[in-house]
Each structure stands twice: as C-alpha cells, then as structure tokens.
Amino acid sequence: MAIRLGFQIPNFSYGTGVEQLFPTVIAQAQEAESAGFDSVFLMDHFYQLPMLGEPDQPMLEAYTALGALATATERVQLGTLVTGNTYRNPTLLAKTITTLDVVSQGRAILGIGTGWFELEHDQLGFDFGTFTDRFNRLDEALQIILPMIKGERPTFAGTYYRATEAMANPRFREHIPLMIGGSGEKKTIPLAARHFDHLNVIAGFDELPRKLQVVREQCEKIGRDPATLETSQLITVLLDDSIKPDQIPAEMTQRMAAGSPDSVADQLKTKVIDAGIDSLIVNIPFYTPGVVKAAGDALRPLVGL
C-alpha cells in the first residue's frame, strides 16, 4: 500500500501523568485511522528534539510503541520517520522490522536515515562521527538489512558492520516498504533511487521543485521510472482559525501550515502538491480530540483519498 496521507506523532508531552501518556498516543492513532490517514509514524529518538522541547521531556522508544499500536489499530501502516541507523545494529533492525510486520499483519514500513541528533549520540554512547561516516554506515547497513528482510541470508564484512548468513524469521511479506528521509543531492537522493520505495524530502517548500528535479534525474540515470519512487514532505500543521499564514514564525514558514482547515489545505496544495510531491505527512503539535479528524477531512482530497 502506498503512502498518501500520513500522521506523525512528534511528542509525548500531553500535560497528563505517565499513566495517561500511551492511552493518548493510542487515541491519536485510532483517530487518524478513522479519519482516513493511511499511515502513522513515530519519531525514532530517545530525547525530545531541540525545536520541540527540552531533552528530558517524555520520549517513548519507537519500535516498542509501534508494536503496541499494531494491536490497537487495524488498517494504518506503521513506521518511524525515520529510524536513525546509528542507533541499531543492522541485523537487529532487520529483526525488529520483520517482527513489527508480523505483529501488525503486514503493515510495517521501514523508514531509515543516517541519524543526526548529536546530543543523543554523545550521552547514550552511540558513535556520531561526520556525516560521511554516518552515510557510509548507512550504506553498509543496507547491504545487510535489505537482503534479510527479503528472506535472504547475507554474509558481509565491512568497516562498521559484519554478519554471517544472517536471517530474520518469521516474515509476513516478501517486501516491506522502504522509506528514506533526506534530500542530499549527491548521496541521499541517488541512494533512494537505487533502493527505496519512498523518499521523505527534508527540505523547505521553496526547495521542493529543485529536489524533485534531482529525483527525476537520478532515477532516469539508472533507468528507473521516477513515478515509482514516491515522495512526501513532513509538515507541521496548526489548525486554528485565528491564525493567518503570515503569522507563522519566520523559522517555520518553510515547513508549517496554519489557519483554518480549508486554509491549511489551500497552503499545502499550492506549496507541496502543486510542486510535485506525491503525499503529505503531517504532525500536529498540540493534540485535542477531533483535531486529527479535522486535518484528515481537509487533506484527503489533496492526495486522492
């Protein structure tokens, strides 16, 4: 199943006690499912991100939470946007994602990227290194993960990882959808063209036409139909009739839409869909019951749902 309209949960700070934290997560996922979203994503972080709060604010481990959401939902695809490759050994990640696919009856998405949040790496003991180091790690990891989730048993010896006839059983499907996050024109987009089903473009609205042109060029370079590489953008949505688009904070104008549901839909049609992006993934900073449904009702027509 393709990704057309996704819902990402960006934080777990709800002003409740911890006993109500996960029930609130479940409520959002179930509301997204009933509102016609086709996928639900969590962040793969251990600390809250700087732009969203303080490091010690609540943050659930993504795959544990996704496994629980698999039992609380029936239809939505489930994944991370996106897994930091540096946090997990590739054989463990292959086992994790195939298990999630079994638990969810074939609804797992493997989202993956290089990792970027240096504070987490430093405090939790993960090697960070340069971007080149992290990209090379990801390239090696994929040479183990991709065969394993297909049912193959790869043997690999690289600079960062090794495996000997590694296997991941059981598996629910022959193919788990693969998503990569990023927009690097020299490394990430060519990697997406070679291996992935979906590219979540991490870029501002004004950059999208250029990034999509590079996507087309890189696909054509290797003989791939560009239409077979889905694209999306993650957008923060603030549904508030009192907010006008020109009141969005300057640092967020390239990745946020705010206002009434109809106004938000108009903004995203013009800035994202008309630019050529295939699908929308939205997060809503402040959850109140009904807000996810309102977003879904406004945005489904933009993506043909």
Side-chain angles (χ1 to χ4, degrees), residues 193-209:
R194 289 198 305 273
H195 294 301
F196 285 81
D197 303 299
H198 193 106
L199 171 65
N200 180 252
V201 181
I202 302 175
F205 296 134
D206 293 347
E207 300 173 282
L208 294 180

mmCIF file of all heavy atoms in Angstrom, residues 193-209:
data_model
loop_
_atom_site.group_PDB
_atom_site.id
_atom_site.type_symbol
_atom_site.label_atom_id
_atom_site.label_comp_id
_atom_site.label_asym_id
_atom_site.label_seq_id
_atom_site.Cartn_x
_atom_site.Cartn_y
_atom_site.Cartn_z
ATOM 1 N N ALA A 193 17.004 6.467 -5.117
ATOM 2 C CA ALA A 193 16.681 5.984 -6.462
ATOM 3 C C ALA A 193 17.098 4.527 -6.649
ATOM 4 O O ALA A 193 16.408 3.764 -7.326
ATOM 5 C CB ALA A 193 17.366 6.871 -7.505
ATOM 6 N N ARG A 194 18.188 4.124 -6.010
ATOM 7 C CA ARG A 194 18.685 2.760 -6.192
ATOM 8 C C ARG A 194 17.897 1.725 -5.392
ATOM 9 O O ARG A 194 17.677 0.618 -5.854
ATOM 10 C CB ARG A 194 20.169 2.673 -5.782
ATOM 11 C CG ARG A 194 21.107 3.371 -6.730
ATOM 12 C CD ARG A 194 22.542 2.903 -6.535
ATOM 13 N NE ARG A 194 23.018 3.033 -5.162
ATOM 14 C CZ ARG A 194 23.573 4.122 -4.666
ATOM 15 N NH1 ARG A 194 23.699 5.213 -5.425
ATOM 16 N NH2 ARG A 194 24.003 4.159 -3.411
ATOM 17 N N HIS A 195 17.463 2.085 -4.169
ATOM 18 C CA HIS A 195 16.982 1.053 -3.257
ATOM 19 C C HIS A 195 15.577 1.250 -2.696
ATOM 20 O O HIS A 195 14.989 0.279 -2.204
ATOM 21 C CB HIS A 195 17.927 0.948 -2.053
ATOM 22 C CG HIS A 195 19.302 0.464 -2.377
ATOM 23 N ND1 HIS A 195 19.544 -0.758 -2.956
ATOM 24 C CD2 HIS A 195 20.511 1.047 -2.192
ATOM 25 C CE1 HIS A 195 20.844 -0.918 -3.114
ATOM 26 N NE2 HIS A 195 21.452 0.156 -2.667
ATOM 27 N N PHE A 196 15.024 2.461 -2.716
ATOM 28 C CA PHE A 196 13.873 2.753 -1.873
ATOM 29 C C PHE A 196 12.578 2.915 -2.661
ATOM 30 O O PHE A 196 12.568 3.217 -3.845
ATOM 31 C CB PHE A 196 14.148 4.015 -1.039
ATOM 32 C CG PHE A 196 15.099 3.753 0.103
ATOM 33 C CD1 PHE A 196 16.465 3.720 -0.116
ATOM 34 C CD2 PHE A 196 14.627 3.489 1.373
ATOM 35 C CE1 PHE A 196 17.353 3.449 0.914
ATOM 36 C CE2 PHE A 196 15.501 3.214 2.418
ATOM 37 C CZ PHE A 196 16.865 3.191 2.184
ATOM 38 N N ASP A 197 11.470 2.694 -1.939
ATOM 39 C CA ASP A 197 10.135 2.901 -2.491
ATOM 40 C C ASP A 197 9.657 4.330 -2.297
ATOM 41 O O ASP A 197 8.815 4.815 -3.050
ATOM 42 C CB ASP A 197 9.116 1.970 -1.795
ATOM 43 C CG ASP A 197 9.502 0.513 -1.910
ATOM 44 O OD1 ASP A 197 9.598 0.014 -3.045
ATOM 45 O OD2 ASP A 197 9.745 -0.127 -0.861
ATOM 46 N N HIS A 198 10.170 4.985 -1.261
ATOM 47 C CA HIS A 198 9.613 6.270 -0.842
ATOM 48 C C HIS A 198 10.737 7.166 -0.323
ATOM 49 O O HIS A 198 11.590 6.715 0.450
ATOM 50 C CB HIS A 198 8.575 6.039 0.267
ATOM 51 C CG HIS A 198 7.725 7.248 0.550
ATOM 52 N ND1 HIS A 198 6.413 7.337 0.147
ATOM 53 C CD2 HIS A 198 8.007 8.406 1.189
ATOM 54 C CE1 HIS A 198 5.924 8.508 0.537
ATOM 55 N NE2 HIS A 198 6.881 9.177 1.175
ATOM 56 N N LEU A 199 10.719 8.414 -0.742
ATOM 57 C CA LEU A 199 11.663 9.428 -0.263
ATOM 58 C C LEU A 199 10.886 10.508 0.466
ATOM 59 O O LEU A 199 10.051 11.189 -0.134
ATOM 60 C CB LEU A 199 12.435 10.038 -1.437
ATOM 61 C CG LEU A 199 13.308 11.264 -1.112
ATOM 62 C CD1 LEU A 199 14.447 10.905 -0.165
ATOM 63 C CD2 LEU A 199 13.845 11.903 -2.392
ATOM 64 N N ASN A 200 11.139 10.646 1.767
ATOM 65 C CA ASN A 200 10.593 11.767 2.521
ATOM 66 C C ASN A 200 11.584 12.917 2.385
ATOM 67 O O ASN A 200 12.703 12.861 2.907
ATOM 68 C CB ASN A 200 10.381 11.398 3.988
ATOM 69 C CG ASN A 200 9.818 12.554 4.784
ATOM 70 O OD1 ASN A 200 10.518 13.162 5.589
ATOM 71 N ND2 ASN A 200 8.560 12.881 4.573
ATOM 72 N N VAL A 201 11.169 13.943 1.656
ATOM 73 C CA VAL A 201 12.072 15.036 1.306
ATOM 74 C C VAL A 201 12.165 16.011 2.481
ATOM 75 O O VAL A 201 11.176 16.661 2.834
ATOM 76 C CB VAL A 201 11.581 15.766 0.040
ATOM 77 C CG1 VAL A 201 12.544 16.883 -0.340
ATOM 78 C CG2 VAL A 201 11.418 14.783 -1.111
ATOM 79 N N ILE A 202 13.335 16.095 3.082
ATOM 80 C CA ILE A 202 13.554 17.009 4.199
ATOM 81 C C ILE A 202 14.099 18.311 3.624
ATOM 82 O O ILE A 202 15.301 18.469 3.398
ATOM 83 C CB ILE A 202 14.518 16.400 5.236
ATOM 84 C CG1 ILE A 202 13.949 15.068 5.746
ATOM 85 C CG2 ILE A 202 14.734 17.360 6.400
ATOM 86 C CD1 ILE A 202 14.879 14.318 6.676
ATOM 87 N N ALA A 203 13.191 19.213 3.323
ATOM 88 C CA ALA A 203 13.553 20.479 2.686
ATOM 89 C C ALA A 203 12.406 21.457 2.869
ATOM 90 O O ALA A 203 11.284 21.069 3.217
ATOM 91 C CB ALA A 203 13.829 20.269 1.195
ATOM 92 N N GLY A 204 12.696 22.727 2.652
ATOM 93 C CA GLY A 204 11.664 23.744 2.733
ATOM 94 C C GLY A 204 10.797 23.754 1.491
ATOM 95 O O GLY A 204 11.150 23.194 0.452
ATOM 96 N N PHE A 205 9.643 24.422 1.588
ATOM 97 C CA PHE A 205 8.711 24.482 0.458
ATOM 98 C C PHE A 205 9.400 24.990 -0.810
ATOM 99 O O PHE A 205 9.206 24.447 -1.892
ATOM 100 C CB PHE A 205 7.531 25.400 0.791
ATOM 101 C CG PHE A 205 6.669 24.916 1.927
ATOM 102 C CD1 PHE A 205 6.261 25.791 2.928
ATOM 103 C CD2 PHE A 205 6.252 23.595 1.997
ATOM 104 C CE1 PHE A 205 5.454 25.362 3.974
ATOM 105 C CE2 PHE A 205 5.446 23.150 3.042
ATOM 106 C CZ PHE A 205 5.048 24.038 4.033
ATOM 107 N N ASP A 206 10.203 26.055 -0.672
ATOM 108 C CA ASP A 206 10.808 26.665 -1.855
ATOM 109 C C ASP A 206 11.835 25.756 -2.520
ATOM 110 O O ASP A 206 12.163 25.949 -3.698
ATOM 111 C CB ASP A 206 11.477 27.991 -1.480
ATOM 112 C CG ASP A 206 10.471 29.053 -1.055
ATOM 113 O OD1 ASP A 206 9.260 28.851 -1.290
ATOM 114 O OD2 ASP A 206 10.896 30.084 -0.487
ATOM 115 N N GLU A 207 12.352 24.775 -1.791
ATOM 116 C CA GLU A 207 13.374 23.883 -2.337
ATOM 117 C C GLU A 207 12.784 22.677 -3.072
ATOM 118 O O GLU A 207 13.523 21.952 -3.755
ATOM 119 C CB GLU A 207 14.267 23.366 -1.204
ATOM 120 C CG GLU A 207 14.999 24.422 -0.415
ATOM 121 C CD GLU A 207 15.723 23.818 0.777
ATOM 122 O OE1 GLU A 207 15.057 23.522 1.788
ATOM 123 O OE2 GLU A 207 16.958 23.618 0.674
ATOM 124 N N LEU A 208 11.491 22.450 -2.922
ATOM 125 C CA LEU A 208 10.913 21.206 -3.438
ATOM 126 C C LEU A 208 11.064 21.024 -4.952
ATOM 127 O O LEU A 208 11.421 19.926 -5.405
ATOM 128 C CB LEU A 208 9.438 21.113 -3.036
ATOM 129 C CG LEU A 208 9.174 20.986 -1.529
ATOM 130 C CD1 LEU A 208 7.670 20.908 -1.272
ATOM 131 C CD2 LEU A 208 9.871 19.770 -0.946
ATOM 132 N N PRO A 209 10.801 22.048 -5.773
ATOM 133 C CA PRO A 209 10.954 21.817 -7.219
ATOM 134 C C PRO A 209 12.357 21.361 -7.598
ATOM 135 O O PRO A 209 12.517 20.453 -8.431
ATOM 136 C CB PRO A 209 10.609 23.184 -7.819
ATOM 137 C CG PRO A 209 9.680 23.803 -6.824
ATOM 138 C CD PRO A 209 10.219 23.376 -5.490
#
